[in-house]
Amino acid sequence: MSLAPIILFVYNRPDHTKKTIQALQQNVLASESELFIYADAAKNESAQQQVDEVCNLISDVSGFKKITVIKQETNVGLANSIISGVTEIVNKYGKVIVLEDDLVTSPYFLTFMNDALDLYSNKKDIWHISGWNYPIETDGIADTFLWRTMNCWGWATWDDRWQHFEKNTDKLMESFTAEKIKAFNLDGYENFWGQVLANKEGKINTWAIYWYASIFEKNGLCLNPTETFVDNIGLDGSGIHCGVNTSYIANLNINNNITFETNLEESSIALERIQLFYRKMEKSFLVRAINKLSRVLIKKNIVI
């Protein structure tokens, strides 16, 4: 089995980047894997110092078969960097494993990803391999499952699937019916479509929602491990599009003997567990909002 190249996208978070690289170096297959690091240039003067720290850090990385660092001359932004970087590498190697600078991996992350890429390479219904999963109840679910939604916290794909990626907001909005939007939103349990609208309004500039939409449009399936191989340490307010959130934390999977799903259909039980996760998240957010409002009103001596 030939190992997939790894792409790591970095910017201005030296502490997160260091932890991401250190964890990746501890992977069983690290020394046999080729690593490409794409470093974006500073957007403004205030980011320059941290960008320089990251550049110094990635100039002295070891522990991989080969390391190539690509430094952008101007700031291209995370979305453009990922789209162009993934396209360049996957077209050359046929498959790719993708990480960002705030993802700490299990020592068996690369093993899982490469095994999945090899096993499903000719299963054209499978479009995407995720290394991360929600902290859900795992009883009754095997080591892996298939479902409709794409997770981008450590992922992999193949060139013949990625070639269908398209970031065209207007075309997407024209082709999605109300029924499709509901299914896209996990039958109404989460508002993924809101990200498309936010891109249309210029509030955000992202890529992942379009990869999900590209997969969804082709009725593709995504593979997830039931227990996560990735921990996102960037949900501390330091990310570009992420605030502070501890709801996604789970113990890293250290199982090196994974049984892969052979029934190429969406897992109804896994879908229900994830829908329940989002429903609990929604209730938790509502409770926090009510409590915050209550404290404000009490300070103003308003009876509620």
Side-chain angles (χ1 to χ4, degrees):
M1 175 178 65
S2 63
L3 300 183
I6 310 158
I7 309 179
L8 173 61
F9 294 95
V10 303
Y11 179 44
N12 68 339
R13 293 188 286 179
D15 292 338
H16 295 75
T17 302
K18 183 177 181 180
K19 292 176 182 177
T20 295
I21 292 174
Q22 287 176 337
L24 194 57
Q25 287 170 325
Q26 297 302 312
N27 265 254
V28 173
L29 296 179
S31 63
E32 303 172 46
S33 301
E34 188 167 355
L35 174 64
F36 293 86
I37 305 178
Y38 281 80
D40 204 359
K43 186 176 182 179
N44 48 48
E45 290 185 7
S46 62
Q48 189 63 59
Q49 181 178 343
Q50 289 181 309
V51 168
D52 289 342
E53 290 180 32
V54 169
C55 286
N56 289 334
L57 176 65
I58 62 177
S59 67
D60 191 31
V61 175
S62 61
F64 299 89
K65 181 180 179 180
K66 182 180 179 182
I67 301 166
T68 303
V69 177
I70 301 97
K71 296 181 180 179
Q72 304 287 2
E73 294 183 1
T74 59
N75 182 270
V76 299
L78 180 61
N80 291 333
S81 184
I82 290 180
I83 294 169
S84 61
V86 170
T87 300
E88 178 182 10
I89 302 303
V90 80
N91 284 347
K92 181 178 180 180
Y93 290 86
K95 55 186 176 180
V96 69
I97 297 170
V98 185
L99 289 165
E100 295 178 41
D101 60 4
D102 55 2
L103 302 175
V104 168
T105 54
S106 158
Y108 299 112
F109 166 76
L110 292 179
T111 304
F112 173 78
M113 301 302 275
N114 278 287
D115 285 348
L117 283 168
D118 186 54
L119 179 63
Y120 296 105
S121 61
N122 294 319
K123 308 293 185 183
K124 302 304 181 181
D125 290 338
I126 314 303
W127 280 54
H128 176 95
I129 310 296
S130 175
W132 176 83
N133 193 36
Y134 301 84
I136 59 174
E137 175 59 53
T138 60
D139 289 349
I141 309 178
D143 290 345
T144 60
F145 65 89
L146 294 166
W147 72 318
R148 72 191 73 169
T149 306
M150 184 280 307
N151 299 132
C152 64
W153 294 346
W155 60 282
T157 194
W158 305 264
D159 58 343
D160 60 347
R161 280 74 148 184
W162 181 255
Q163 69 176 335
H164 295 281
F165 172 84
E166 184 176 18
K167 184 177 180 179
N168 187 327
T169 307
D170 292 336
K171 181 178 177 180
L172 199 60
M173 293 179 69
E174 290 174 1
S175 66
F176 267 62
T177 63
E179 184 179 0
K180 287 177 68 173
I181 290 173
K182 182 179 179 181
F184 189 75
N185 284 340
L186 293 185
D187 305 321
Y189 281 82
E190 175 62 3
N191 185 23
F192 292 123
W193 186 251
Q195 296 180 43
V196 176
L197 299 180
N199 272 276
K200 173 64 175 177
E201 296 168 1
K203 295 179 180 178
I204 58 175
N205 177 26
T206 61
W207 67 274
I209 197 64
Y210 295 94
W211 178 223
Y212 172 30
S214 300
I215 297 169
F216 186 86
E217 285 270 63
K218 299 293 185 178
N219 297 313
L221 291 168
C222 304
L223 181 84
N224 276 52
T226 302
E227 296 184 13
T228 186
F229 283 93
V230 182
D231 179 26
N232 189 326
I233 60 171
L235 299 177
D236 55 0
S238 64
I240 294 176
H241 298 296
C242 296
V244 178
N245 196 326
T246 60
S247 301
Y248 296 93
I249 296 175
N251 294 326
L252 287 179
N253 193 334
I254 55 172
N255 182 5
N256 193 29
N257 187 25
I258 295 294
T259 300
F260 287 94
E261 183 58 68
T262 56
N263 181 23
L264 304 186
E265 296 180 354
E266 183 172 62
S267 168
S268 59
I269 186 171
L271 175 61
E272 290 172 1
R273 298 276 174 82
I274 295 170
Q275 288 172 331
L276 179 60
F277 170 84
Y278 276 116
R279 180 56 53 84
K280 289 180 177 178
M281 284 268 291
E282 183 181 26
K283 289 181 178 179
S284 176
F285 175 80
L286 180 60
V287 169
R288 291 196 303 270
I290 292 173
N291 289 340
K292 182 177 180 180
L293 177 61
S294 298
R295 290 193 296 269
V296 171
L297 295 178
I298 288 171
K299 286 182 179 180
K300 294 182 177 181
N301 295 319
I302 299 175
V303 178
I304 58 173

